[in-house]
Amino acid sequence: MKKDTSNTIKRARRFPVILIGEGLLVGAVSGLVVMFYRIALTYAGEWLNEILAFIKGHPLRILAWFAVLILLALIVGRLVKWEPMISGSGIPQVEGEILGKLKEDWKRVLPAKFIGGFLCLFGGLSLGREGPSIQLGAMGGQGVSRLLDRGKTEERYLMTCGASAGLAAAFHAPLAGMMFALEEIHKGFSVSLLVSVMTASVTADYICSHIMGIDPVFQFELENVLPQELYWTLLLLGVLLGLAGALYNKVMTKAQDLYKKPKFLNETSRLVIAFLAAGVLGLLMPSVLGSGSNLIVSLTDGEMVLALVLLTFVVKFLFSAVSFGSGAPGGIFFPLLILGALLGGAFAMAGVEFFGMDPGYINNFVLLSMAGFFTAIVRAPITGIILLFEMSGSVSQMLSLAIVSVAAYITATLVKSEPIYESLLNRLIAGQAASGTGNAENPDRKSSGSAGGQKVLSEFVIMSGSVLEGRTVMEIHWPKNCLLVALERDGKEIIPRGKTKLMAGDRLTVMTDERDAGYIHDKLENLCYTSF
């Protein structure tokens, strides 16, 4: 297929129709991949529990298990060394590639992430399935694109479809998958993208739920709707979650730094530390191993007292930092929801014990805190609200979910906590730049005629008050190697000319070389969204 300028523009005009069919295909492929990943992780958790029961009280069996854990760390270390892009959750890697700042190879990432994630959960590391599921889904989209020989612009759309399908299949949450892919991964909306992402998400969820069932992930009961006279407690809870989320982000990035400080630690030895920590906790406090879904059951069934909830939170928090900081292939998404639930449970239990609150509302605070903690850490409030609504199957808490999420969002913003995935992406790009393997380049340092591979189309919306509003096209200092090819206003396409006056709400379509896409994205985002 030709991928020059004219063909790229012609094909982009047919995207609304093309991407629906391709979104269906990507949804099916990515949904099947993530479904098998979920099944594999289910077996990993069951086998781990059987092993811990088998070795309990037998020193020789315990030593043998620790030897197995070291072997697992060695295998995962080799996988990470072979394909560094599988390290961590995978969400920053997907986001970085869609923005044109990183490169992944689906043929390597898919098998390595699948096996690495399985071994980490089998070893008991405090990691989740959602980050790997999103990366596996995105790699499914990339694989479909390359097998069909699509251009880079289309490939990024299909990767976004795959990411959406991955989260939908992982959590039985098609709406949250769609919103997360648009709000966090692609960071933009268009009609063609929205419809294709929705198609992929629903397709993946249908396939997965048809085989694995339609029950929500969290099945605890909410006996009552929180009365409005208790809404003041939601503001306090939101502030607490915002501060805790900022601390979480700082500790997670600090853990990565601590692992990298000793020069004698490499990819494998860092993982050995994490796996051995899992072995120790498997003997002392097995409830904190893995993603932690068992903790939700214990918490919402009333099996935990306040002191145990606080202890569990501290241990799970620190173990999550040890696990994630090591660079192990696994997500932070589900473990952070568990930590949020523990915080909410502790908050409500304190209210019951010291202020006489009705204990029937404890489960309400557990659910609300998961959304608030997620919002404080990821800074994607809409996704957080929809995700918890879908994962719990309850629509009665929407107003209280919104109040907690907004309070947590504002608090985390005021303390200047950077969203976790943006922070991890920036650290990843900085690390690649330091090693000379980065992808994004500055076209202003080159001649404007340099070749850069395939052409890529990107869309940006002019925000009210930005530097572009009210100025003509010829007055703007556009980045080099960047061509404004289309302007859409009120649903109608306008051919941009030098004297065309730009207005708030205009959707700009910009073409650049694949090599320069990351740099151009940052420049145009700054022009469209800021007033200086």
Side-chain angles (χ1 to χ4, degrees), residues 91-105 139 142 146 152 155-156 159 425 439 517:
I91 294 175
Q93 289 89 327
V94 173
E95 183 180 331
E97 178 156 12
I98 289 175
L99 295 178
K101 299 178 180 182
L102 297 173
K103 287 186 178 180
E104 298 172 276
D105 183 354
M139 290 300 96
Q142 187 189 80
R146 294 189 179 177
K152 264 294 174 182
E155 180 175 298
R156 290 177 181 178
M159 286 182 65
L425 174 58
N439 184 43

mmCIF file with all atom_site columns, all heavy atoms in Angstrom, residues 91-105 139 142 146 152 155-156 159 425 439 517:
data_model
loop_
_atom_site.group_PDB
_atom_site.id
_atom_site.type_symbol
_atom_site.label_atom_id
_atom_site.label_alt_id
_atom_site.label_comp_id
_atom_site.label_asym_id
_atom_site.label_entity_id
_atom_site.label_seq_id
_atom_site.pdbx_PDB_ins_code
_atom_site.Cartn_x
_atom_site.Cartn_y
_atom_site.Cartn_z
_atom_site.occupancy
_atom_site.B_iso_or_equiv
_atom_site.pdbx_formal_charge
_atom_site.auth_seq_id
_atom_site.auth_comp_id
_atom_site.auth_asym_id
_atom_site.auth_atom_id
_atom_site.pdbx_PDB_model_num
ATOM 1   N N   . ILE A 1 91  ? 1.398  0.588  30.107 1.00 0.00 ? 91  ILE A N   1
ATOM 2   C CA  . ILE A 1 91  ? 0.561  1.712  29.669 1.00 0.00 ? 91  ILE A CA  1
ATOM 3   C C   . ILE A 1 91  ? 1.404  2.894  29.187 1.00 0.00 ? 91  ILE A C   1
ATOM 4   O O   . ILE A 1 91  ? 1.114  3.470  28.135 1.00 0.00 ? 91  ILE A O   1
ATOM 5   C CB  . ILE A 1 91  ? -0.412 2.129  30.792 1.00 0.00 ? 91  ILE A CB  1
ATOM 6   C CG1 . ILE A 1 91  ? -1.421 1.008  31.046 1.00 0.00 ? 91  ILE A CG1 1
ATOM 7   C CG2 . ILE A 1 91  ? -1.145 3.424  30.442 1.00 0.00 ? 91  ILE A CG2 1
ATOM 8   C CD1 . ILE A 1 91  ? -2.349 1.251  32.213 1.00 0.00 ? 91  ILE A CD1 1
ATOM 9   N N   . PRO A 1 92  ? 2.469  3.295  29.912 1.00 0.00 ? 92  PRO A N   1
ATOM 10  C CA  . PRO A 1 92  ? 3.300  4.395  29.389 1.00 0.00 ? 92  PRO A CA  1
ATOM 11  C C   . PRO A 1 92  ? 3.922  4.066  28.041 1.00 0.00 ? 92  PRO A C   1
ATOM 12  O O   . PRO A 1 92  ? 4.066  4.954  27.187 1.00 0.00 ? 92  PRO A O   1
ATOM 13  C CB  . PRO A 1 92  ? 4.378  4.558  30.475 1.00 0.00 ? 92  PRO A CB  1
ATOM 14  C CG  . PRO A 1 92  ? 3.764  4.002  31.716 1.00 0.00 ? 92  PRO A CG  1
ATOM 15  C CD  . PRO A 1 92  ? 2.909  2.868  31.253 1.00 0.00 ? 92  PRO A CD  1
ATOM 16  N N   . GLN A 1 93  ? 4.287  2.802  27.823 1.00 0.00 ? 93  GLN A N   1
ATOM 17  C CA  . GLN A 1 93  ? 4.879  2.415  26.543 1.00 0.00 ? 93  GLN A CA  1
ATOM 18  C C   . GLN A 1 93  ? 3.877  2.586  25.405 1.00 0.00 ? 93  GLN A C   1
ATOM 19  O O   . GLN A 1 93  ? 4.218  3.088  24.328 1.00 0.00 ? 93  GLN A O   1
ATOM 20  C CB  . GLN A 1 93  ? 5.366  0.953  26.601 1.00 0.00 ? 93  GLN A CB  1
ATOM 21  C CG  . GLN A 1 93  ? 6.590  0.737  27.469 1.00 0.00 ? 93  GLN A CG  1
ATOM 22  C CD  . GLN A 1 93  ? 6.269  0.438  28.918 1.00 0.00 ? 93  GLN A CD  1
ATOM 23  O OE1 . GLN A 1 93  ? 5.287  0.939  29.466 1.00 0.00 ? 93  GLN A OE1 1
ATOM 24  N NE2 . GLN A 1 93  ? 7.100  -0.375 29.557 1.00 0.00 ? 93  GLN A NE2 1
ATOM 25  N N   . VAL A 1 94  ? 2.647  2.172  25.643 1.00 0.00 ? 94  VAL A N   1
ATOM 26  C CA  . VAL A 1 94  ? 1.608  2.317  24.620 1.00 0.00 ? 94  VAL A CA  1
ATOM 27  C C   . VAL A 1 94  ? 1.327  3.795  24.348 1.00 0.00 ? 94  VAL A C   1
ATOM 28  O O   . VAL A 1 94  ? 1.254  4.226  23.196 1.00 0.00 ? 94  VAL A O   1
ATOM 29  C CB  . VAL A 1 94  ? 0.317  1.597  25.070 1.00 0.00 ? 94  VAL A CB  1
ATOM 30  C CG1 . VAL A 1 94  ? -0.821 1.883  24.085 1.00 0.00 ? 94  VAL A CG1 1
ATOM 31  C CG2 . VAL A 1 94  ? 0.557  0.101  25.178 1.00 0.00 ? 94  VAL A CG2 1
ATOM 32  N N   . GLU A 1 95  ? 1.187  4.557  25.420 1.00 0.00 ? 95  GLU A N   1
ATOM 33  C CA  . GLU A 1 95  ? 0.941  5.987  25.273 1.00 0.00 ? 95  GLU A CA  1
ATOM 34  C C   . GLU A 1 95  ? 2.088  6.658  24.512 1.00 0.00 ? 95  GLU A C   1
ATOM 35  O O   . GLU A 1 95  ? 1.859  7.496  23.629 1.00 0.00 ? 95  GLU A O   1
ATOM 36  C CB  . GLU A 1 95  ? 0.791  6.618  26.656 1.00 0.00 ? 95  GLU A CB  1
ATOM 37  C CG  . GLU A 1 95  ? 0.461  8.097  26.643 1.00 0.00 ? 95  GLU A CG  1
ATOM 38  C CD  . GLU A 1 95  ? 0.318  8.669  28.042 1.00 0.00 ? 95  GLU A CD  1
ATOM 39  O OE1 . GLU A 1 95  ? -0.065 7.910  28.955 1.00 0.00 ? 95  GLU A OE1 1
ATOM 40  O OE2 . GLU A 1 95  ? 0.592  9.871  28.221 1.00 0.00 ? 95  GLU A OE2 1
ATOM 41  N N   . GLY A 1 96  ? 3.331  6.284  24.853 1.00 0.00 ? 96  GLY A N   1
ATOM 42  C CA  . GLY A 1 96  ? 4.500  6.867  24.196 1.00 0.00 ? 96  GLY A CA  1
ATOM 43  C C   . GLY A 1 96  ? 4.544  6.555  22.717 1.00 0.00 ? 96  GLY A C   1
ATOM 44  O O   . GLY A 1 96  ? 4.905  7.412  21.902 1.00 0.00 ? 96  GLY A O   1
ATOM 45  N N   . GLU A 1 97  ? 4.156  5.332  22.333 1.00 0.00 ? 97  GLU A N   1
ATOM 46  C CA  . GLU A 1 97  ? 4.185  5.000  20.902 1.00 0.00 ? 97  GLU A CA  1
ATOM 47  C C   . GLU A 1 97  ? 3.091  5.726  20.143 1.00 0.00 ? 97  GLU A C   1
ATOM 48  O O   . GLU A 1 97  ? 3.308  6.194  19.023 1.00 0.00 ? 97  GLU A O   1
ATOM 49  C CB  . GLU A 1 97  ? 4.046  3.488  20.699 1.00 0.00 ? 97  GLU A CB  1
ATOM 50  C CG  . GLU A 1 97  ? 4.011  3.121  19.228 1.00 0.00 ? 97  GLU A CG  1
ATOM 51  C CD  . GLU A 1 97  ? 4.447  1.706  18.936 1.00 0.00 ? 97  GLU A CD  1
ATOM 52  O OE1 . GLU A 1 97  ? 4.563  0.915  19.876 1.00 0.00 ? 97  GLU A OE1 1
ATOM 53  O OE2 . GLU A 1 97  ? 4.671  1.395  17.756 1.00 0.00 ? 97  GLU A OE2 1
ATOM 54  N N   . ILE A 1 98  ? 1.907  5.833  20.741 1.00 0.00 ? 98  ILE A N   1
ATOM 55  C CA  . ILE A 1 98  ? 0.815  6.532  20.064 1.00 0.00 ? 98  ILE A CA  1
ATOM 56  C C   . ILE A 1 98  ? 1.152  8.015  19.884 1.00 0.00 ? 98  ILE A C   1
ATOM 57  O O   . ILE A 1 98  ? 0.759  8.635  18.897 1.00 0.00 ? 98  ILE A O   1
ATOM 58  C CB  . ILE A 1 98  ? -0.500 6.336  20.846 1.00 0.00 ? 98  ILE A CB  1
ATOM 59  C CG1 . ILE A 1 98  ? -0.974 4.894  20.687 1.00 0.00 ? 98  ILE A CG1 1
ATOM 60  C CG2 . ILE A 1 98  ? -1.578 7.302  20.359 1.00 0.00 ? 98  ILE A CG2 1
ATOM 61  C CD1 . ILE A 1 98  ? -2.186 4.527  21.493 1.00 0.00 ? 98  ILE A CD1 1
ATOM 62  N N   . LEU A 1 99  ? 1.913  8.571  20.820 1.00 0.00 ? 99  LEU A N   1
ATOM 63  C CA  . LEU A 1 99  ? 2.350  9.963  20.694 1.00 0.00 ? 99  LEU A CA  1
ATOM 64  C C   . LEU A 1 99  ? 3.563  10.115 19.790 1.00 0.00 ? 99  LEU A C   1
ATOM 65  O O   . LEU A 1 99  ? 4.011  11.232 19.522 1.00 0.00 ? 99  LEU A O   1
ATOM 66  C CB  . LEU A 1 99  ? 2.673  10.542 22.077 1.00 0.00 ? 99  LEU A CB  1
ATOM 67  C CG  . LEU A 1 99  ? 1.505  10.677 23.054 1.00 0.00 ? 99  LEU A CG  1
ATOM 68  C CD1 . LEU A 1 99  ? 1.990  11.225 24.393 1.00 0.00 ? 99  LEU A CD1 1
ATOM 69  C CD2 . LEU A 1 99  ? 0.419  11.578 22.476 1.00 0.00 ? 99  LEU A CD2 1
ATOM 70  N N   . GLY A 1 100 ? 4.123  9.008  19.320 1.00 0.00 ? 100 GLY A N   1
ATOM 71  C CA  . GLY A 1 100 ? 5.271  9.057  18.421 1.00 0.00 ? 100 GLY A CA  1
ATOM 72  C C   . GLY A 1 100 ? 6.607  9.212  19.116 1.00 0.00 ? 100 GLY A C   1
ATOM 73  O O   . GLY A 1 100 ? 7.585  9.633  18.500 1.00 0.00 ? 100 GLY A O   1
ATOM 74  N N   . LYS A 1 101 ? 6.681  8.839  20.408 1.00 0.00 ? 101 LYS A N   1
ATOM 75  C CA  . LYS A 1 101 ? 7.909  9.035  21.168 1.00 0.00 ? 101 LYS A CA  1
ATOM 76  C C   . LYS A 1 101 ? 8.658  7.736  21.469 1.00 0.00 ? 101 LYS A C   1
ATOM 77  O O   . LYS A 1 101 ? 9.810  7.767  21.875 1.00 0.00 ? 101 LYS A O   1
ATOM 78  C CB  . LYS A 1 101 ? 7.589  9.744  22.491 1.00 0.00 ? 101 LYS A CB  1
ATOM 79  C CG  . LYS A 1 101 ? 6.972  11.126 22.293 1.00 0.00 ? 101 LYS A CG  1
ATOM 80  C CD  . LYS A 1 101 ? 6.628  11.788 23.609 1.00 0.00 ? 101 LYS A CD  1
ATOM 81  C CE  . LYS A 1 101 ? 6.010  13.173 23.388 1.00 0.00 ? 101 LYS A CE  1
ATOM 82  N NZ  . LYS A 1 101 ? 5.706  13.845 24.675 1.00 0.00 ? 101 LYS A NZ  1
ATOM 83  N N   . LEU A 1 102 ? 7.994  6.600  21.273 1.00 0.00 ? 102 LEU A N   1
ATOM 84  C CA  . LEU A 1 102 ? 8.600  5.305  21.544 1.00 0.00 ? 102 LEU A CA  1
ATOM 85  C C   . LEU A 1 102 ? 8.237  4.342  20.418 1.00 0.00 ? 102 LEU A C   1
ATOM 86  O O   . LEU A 1 102 ? 7.325  4.596  19.634 1.00 0.00 ? 102 LEU A O   1
ATOM 87  C CB  . LEU A 1 102 ? 8.099  4.736  22.885 1.00 0.00 ? 102 LEU A CB  1
ATOM 88  C CG  . LEU A 1 102 ? 8.423  5.517  24.163 1.00 0.00 ? 102 LEU A CG  1
ATOM 89  C CD1 . LEU A 1 102 ? 7.712  4.889  25.348 1.00 0.00 ? 102 LEU A CD1 1
ATOM 90  C CD2 . LEU A 1 102 ? 9.921  5.576  24.417 1.00 0.00 ? 102 LEU A CD2 1
ATOM 91  N N   . LYS A 1 103 ? 8.955  3.227  20.376 1.00 0.00 ? 103 LYS A N   1
ATOM 92  C CA  . LYS A 1 103 ? 8.657  2.194  19.385 1.00 0.00 ? 103 LYS A CA  1
ATOM 93  C C   . LYS A 1 103 ? 8.597  0.835  20.055 1.00 0.00 ? 103 LYS A C   1
ATOM 94  O O   . LYS A 1 103 ? 9.420  0.515  20.898 1.00 0.00 ? 103 LYS A O   1
ATOM 95  C CB  . LYS A 1 103 ? 9.723  2.173  18.277 1.00 0.00 ? 103 LYS A CB  1
ATOM 96  C CG  . LYS A 1 103 ? 9.635  3.339  17.309 1.00 0.00 ? 103 LYS A CG  1
ATOM 97  C CD  . LYS A 1 103 ? 10.618 3.181  16.170 1.00 0.00 ? 103 LYS A CD  1
ATOM 98  C CE  . LYS A 1 103 ? 10.510 4.331  15.171 1.00 0.00 ? 103 LYS A CE  1
ATOM 99  N NZ  . LYS A 1 103 ? 11.470 4.179  14.056 1.00 0.00 ? 103 LYS A NZ  1
ATOM 100 N N   . GLU A 1 104 ? 7.590  0.049  19.681 1.00 0.00 ? 104 GLU A N   1
ATOM 101 C CA  . GLU A 1 104 ? 7.457  -1.313 20.170 1.00 0.00 ? 104 GLU A CA  1
ATOM 102 C C   . GLU A 1 104 ? 7.314  -2.258 18.984 1.00 0.00 ? 104 GLU A C   1
ATOM 103 O O   . GLU A 1 104 ? 6.891  -1.854 17.902 1.00 0.00 ? 104 GLU A O   1
ATOM 104 C CB  . GLU A 1 104 ? 6.221  -1.450 21.065 1.00 0.00 ? 104 GLU A CB  1
ATOM 105 C CG  . GLU A 1 104 ? 6.241  -0.594 22.318 1.00 0.00 ? 104 GLU A CG  1
ATOM 106 C CD  . GLU A 1 104 ? 4.913  -0.641 23.055 1.00 0.00 ? 104 GLU A CD  1
ATOM 107 O OE1 . GLU A 1 104 ? 4.007  0.126  22.693 1.00 0.00 ? 104 GLU A OE1 1
ATOM 108 O OE2 . GLU A 1 104 ? 4.790  -1.454 23.989 1.00 0.00 ? 104 GLU A OE2 1
ATOM 109 N N   . ASP A 1 105 ? 7.626  -3.520 19.208 1.00 0.00 ? 105 ASP A N   1
ATOM 110 C CA  . ASP A 1 105 ? 7.475  -4.550 18.184 1.00 0.00 ? 105 ASP A CA  1
ATOM 111 C C   . ASP A 1 105 ? 6.530  -5.609 18.731 1.00 0.00 ? 105 ASP A C   1
ATOM 112 O O   . ASP A 1 105 ? 6.876  -6.340 19.661 1.00 0.00 ? 105 ASP A O   1
ATOM 113 C CB  . ASP A 1 105 ? 8.831  -5.161 17.852 1.00 0.00 ? 105 ASP A CB  1
ATOM 114 C CG  . ASP A 1 105 ? 8.741  -6.203 16.740 1.00 0.00 ? 105 ASP A CG  1
ATOM 115 O OD1 . ASP A 1 105 ? 7.613  -6.533 16.315 1.00 0.00 ? 105 ASP A OD1 1
ATOM 116 O OD2 . ASP A 1 105 ? 9.790  -6.710 16.308 1.00 0.00 ? 105 ASP A OD2 1
ATOM 117 N N   . MET A 1 139 ? -0.837 -4.161 21.399 1.00 0.00 ? 139 MET A N   1
ATOM 118 C CA  . MET A 1 139 ? 0.041  -4.917 20.496 1.00 0.00 ? 139 MET A CA  1
ATOM 119 C C   . MET A 1 139 ? -0.775 -5.772 19.529 1.00 0.00 ? 139 MET A C   1
ATOM 120 O O   . MET A 1 139 ? -0.361 -6.005 18.393 1.00 0.00 ? 139 MET A O   1
ATOM 121 C CB  . MET A 1 139 ? 0.997  -5.787 21.311 1.00 0.00 ? 139 MET A CB  1
ATOM 122 C CG  . MET A 1 139 ? 2.057  -4.999 22.073 1.00 0.00 ? 139 MET A CG  1
ATOM 123 S SD  . MET A 1 139 ? 3.143  -3.997 21.010 1.00 0.00 ? 139 MET A SD  1
ATOM 124 C CE  . MET A 1 139 ? 2.328  -2.393 21.102 1.00 0.00 ? 139 MET A CE  1
ATOM 125 N N   . GLN A 1 142 ? -1.591 -3.326 16.909 1.00 0.00 ? 142 GLN A N   1
ATOM 126 C CA  . GLN A 1 142 ? -0.434 -3.080 16.058 1.00 0.00 ? 142 GLN A CA  1
ATOM 127 C C   . GLN A 1 142 ? -0.195 -4.257 15.121 1.00 0.00 ? 142 GLN A C   1
ATOM 128 O O   . GLN A 1 142 ? 0.125  -4.081 13.938 1.00 0.00 ? 142 GLN A O   1
ATOM 129 C CB  . GLN A 1 142 ? 0.815  -2.850 16.915 1.00 0.00 ? 142 GLN A CB  1
ATOM 130 C CG  . GLN A 1 142 ? 2.030  -2.422 16.112 1.00 0.00 ? 142 GLN A CG  1
ATOM 131 C CD  . GLN A 1 142 ? 3.308  -2.408 16.938 1.00 0.00 ? 142 GLN A CD  1
ATOM 132 O OE1 . GLN A 1 142 ? 3.912  -3.445 17.174 1.00 0.00 ? 142 GLN A OE1 1
ATOM 133 N NE2 . GLN A 1 142 ? 3.696  -1.227 17.386 1.00 0.00 ? 142 GLN A NE2 1
ATOM 134 N N   . ARG A 1 146 ? -0.128 -4.092 11.027 1.00 0.00 ? 146 ARG A N   1
ATOM 135 C CA  . ARG A 1 146 ? 1.043  -4.437 10.207 1.00 0.00 ? 146 ARG A CA  1
ATOM 136 C C   . ARG A 1 146 ? 0.780  -5.626 9.292  1.00 0.00 ? 146 ARG A C   1
ATOM 137 O O   . ARG A 1 146 ? 1.318  -5.682 8.184  1.00 0.00 ? 146 ARG A O   1
ATOM 138 C CB  . ARG A 1 146 ? 2.244  -4.682 11.125 1.00 0.00 ? 146 ARG A CB  1
ATOM 139 C CG  . ARG A 1 146 ? 2.643  -3.393 11.832 1.00 0.00 ? 146 ARG A CG  1
ATOM 140 C CD  . ARG A 1 146 ? 3.936  -3.465 12.586 1.00 0.00 ? 146 ARG A CD  1
ATOM 141 N NE  . ARG A 1 146 ? 4.212  -2.156 13.202 1.00 0.00 ? 146 ARG A NE  1
ATOM 142 C CZ  . ARG A 1 146 ? 5.244  -1.906 13.982 1.00 0.00 ? 146 ARG A CZ  1
ATOM 143 N NH1 . ARG A 1 146 ? 6.128  -2.864 14.268 1.00 0.00 ? 146 ARG A NH1 1
ATOM 144 N NH2 . ARG A 1 146 ? 5.409  -0.691 14.489 1.00 0.00 ? 146 ARG A NH2 1
ATOM 145 N N   . LYS A 1 152 ? 0.980  4.552  9.395  1.00 0.00 ? 152 LYS A N   1
ATOM 146 C CA  . LYS A 1 152 ? 1.233  4.857  10.804 1.00 0.00 ? 152 LYS A CA  1
ATOM 147 C C   . LYS A 1 152 ? 0.046  5.537  11.480 1.00 0.00 ? 152 LYS A C   1
ATOM 148 O O   . LYS A 1 152 ? -0.264 5.276  12.640 1.00 0.00 ? 152 LYS A O   1
ATOM 149 C CB  . LYS A 1 152 ? 2.476  5.745  10.935 1.00 0.00 ? 152 LYS A CB  1
ATOM 150 C CG  . LYS A 1 152 ? 3.746  4.981  11.232 1.00 0.00 ? 152 LYS A CG  1
ATOM 151 C CD  . LYS A 1 152 ? 3.653  4.337  12.603 1.00 0.00 ? 152 LYS A CD  1
ATOM 152 C CE  . LYS A 1 152 ? 4.853  3.446  12.858 1.00 0.00 ? 152 LYS A CE  1
ATOM 153 N NZ  . LYS A 1 152 ? 4.750  2.766  14.169 1.00 0.00 ? 152 LYS A NZ  1
ATOM 154 N N   . GLU A 1 155 ? -2.406 2.901  12.171 1.00 0.00 ? 155 GLU A N   1
ATOM 155 C CA  . GLU A 1 155 ? -1.878 1.985  13.187 1.00 0.00 ? 155 GLU A CA  1
ATOM 156 C C   . GLU A 1 155 ? -2.103 2.533  14.590 1.00 0.00 ? 155 GLU A C   1
ATOM 157 O O   . GLU A 1 155 ? -2.450 1.797  15.521 1.00 0.00 ? 155 GLU A O   1
ATOM 158 C CB  . GLU A 1 155 ? -0.388 1.743  12.953 1.00 0.00 ? 155 GLU A CB  1
ATOM 159 C CG  . GLU A 1 155 ? 0.240  0.799  13.977 1.00 0.00 ? 155 GLU A CG  1
ATOM 160 C CD  . GLU A 1 155 ? 1.680  0.491  13.656 1.00 0.00 ? 155 GLU A CD  1
ATOM 161 O OE1 . GLU A 1 155 ? 1.931  -0.094 12.579 1.00 0.00 ? 155 GLU A OE1 1
ATOM 162 O OE2 . GLU A 1 155 ? 2.563  0.834  14.473 1.00 0.00 ? 155 GLU A OE2 1
ATOM 163 N N   . ARG A 1 156 ? -1.929 3.825  14.761 1.00 0.00 ? 156 ARG A N   1
ATOM 164 C CA  . ARG A 1 156 ? -2.120 4.422  16.086 1.00 0.00 ? 156 ARG A CA  1
ATOM 165 C C   . ARG A 1 156 ? -3.583 4.358  16.507 1.00 0.00 ? 156 ARG A C   1
ATOM 166 O O   . ARG A 1 156 ? -3.892 4.152  17.688 1.00 0.00 ? 156 ARG A O   1
ATOM 167 C CB  . ARG A 1 156 ? -1.608 5.854  16.082 1.00 0.00 ? 156 ARG A CB  1
ATOM 168 C CG  . ARG A 1 156 ? -0.082 5.889  15.994 1.00 0.00 ? 156 ARG A CG  1
ATOM 169 C CD  . ARG A 1 156 ? 0.472  7.279  15.918 1.00 0.00 ? 156 ARG A CD  1
ATOM 170 N NE  . ARG A 1 156 ? 1.931  7.221  15.811 1.00 0.00 ? 156 ARG A NE  1
ATOM 171 C CZ  . ARG A 1 156 ? 2.716  8.262  15.683 1.00 0.00 ? 156 ARG A CZ  1
ATOM 172 N NH1 . ARG A 1 156 ? 2.183  9.470  15.647 1.00 0.00 ? 156 ARG A NH1 1
ATOM 173 N NH2 . ARG A 1 156 ? 4.021  8.119  15.592 1.00 0.00 ? 156 ARG A NH2 1
ATOM 174 N N   . MET A 1 159 ? -4.097 0.768  17.551 1.00 0.00 ? 159 MET A N   1
ATOM 175 C CA  . MET A 1 159 ? -3.499 0.510  18.859 1.00 0.00 ? 159 MET A CA  1
ATOM 176 C C   . MET A 1 159 ? -4.387 1.050  19.974 1.00 0.00 ? 159 MET A C   1
ATOM 177 O O   . MET A 1 159 ? -4.539 0.424  21.031 1.00 0.00 ? 159 MET A O   1
ATOM 178 C CB  . MET A 1 159 ? -2.107 1.129  18.935 1.00 0.00 ? 159 MET A CB  1
ATOM 179 C CG  . MET A 1 159 ? -1.046 0.389  18.144 1.00 0.00 ? 159 MET A CG  1
ATOM 180 S SD  . MET A 1 159 ? 0.588  1.138  18.324 1.00 0.00 ? 159 MET A SD  1
ATOM 181 C CE  . MET A 1 159 ? 0.890  0.853  20.082 1.00 0.00 ? 159 MET A CE  1
ATOM 182 N N   . LEU A 1 425 ? 6.077  7.748  31.798 1.00 0.00 ? 425 LEU A N   1
ATOM 183 C CA  . LEU A 1 425 ? 6.436  7.935  30.390 1.00 0.00 ? 425 LEU A CA  1
ATOM 184 C C   . LEU A 1 425 ? 7.612  8.893  30.259 1.00 0.00 ? 425 LEU A C   1
ATOM 185 O O   . LEU A 1 425 ? 8.557  8.631  29.492 1.00 0.00 ? 425 LEU A O   1
ATOM 186 C CB  . LEU A 1 425 ? 5.233  8.464  29.607 1.00 0.00 ? 425 LEU A CB  1
ATOM 187 C CG  . LEU A 1 425 ? 5.488  8.838  28.141 1.00 0.00 ? 425 LEU A CG  1
ATOM 188 C CD1 . LEU A 1 425 ? 6.015  7.644  27.352 1.00 0.00 ? 425 LEU A CD1 1
ATOM 189 C CD2 . LEU A 1 425 ? 4.217  9.394  27.501 1.00 0.00 ? 425 LEU A CD2 1
ATOM 190 N N   . ASN A 1 439 ? 13.280 7.919  20.374 1.00 0.00 ? 439 ASN A N   1
ATOM 191 C CA  . ASN A 1 439 ? 12.671 7.990  19.051 1.00 0.00 ? 439 ASN A CA  1
ATOM 192 C C   . ASN A 1 439 ? 12.348 9.409  18.632 1.00 0.00 ? 439 ASN A C   1
ATOM 193 O O   . ASN A 1 439 ? 12.529 9.778  17.475 1.00 0.00 ? 439 ASN A O   1
ATOM 194 C CB  . ASN A 1 439 ? 11.383 7.138  19.027 1.00 0.00 ? 439 ASN A CB  1
ATOM 195 C CG  . ASN A 1 439 ? 10.762 7.085  17.653 1.00 0.00 ? 439 ASN A CG  1
ATOM 196 O OD1 . ASN A 1 439 ? 11.473 6.926  16.684 1.00 0.00 ? 439 ASN A OD1 1
ATOM 197 N ND2 . ASN A 1 439 ? 9.452  7.212  17.565 1.00 0.00 ? 439 ASN A ND2 1
ATOM 198 N N   . ALA A 1 517 ? 7.024  12.898 14.898 1.00 0.00 ? 517 ALA A N   1
ATOM 199 C CA  . ALA A 1 517 ? 5.657  12.980 15.417 1.00 0.00 ? 517 ALA A CA  1
ATOM 200 C C   . ALA A 1 517 ? 5.607  13.345 16.893 1.00 0.00 ? 517 ALA A C   1
ATOM 201 O O   . ALA A 1 517 ? 4.740  14.128 17.315 1.00 0.00 ? 517 ALA A O   1
ATOM 202 C CB  . ALA A 1 517 ? 4.933  11.658 15.175 1.00 0.00 ? 517 ALA A CB  1
#
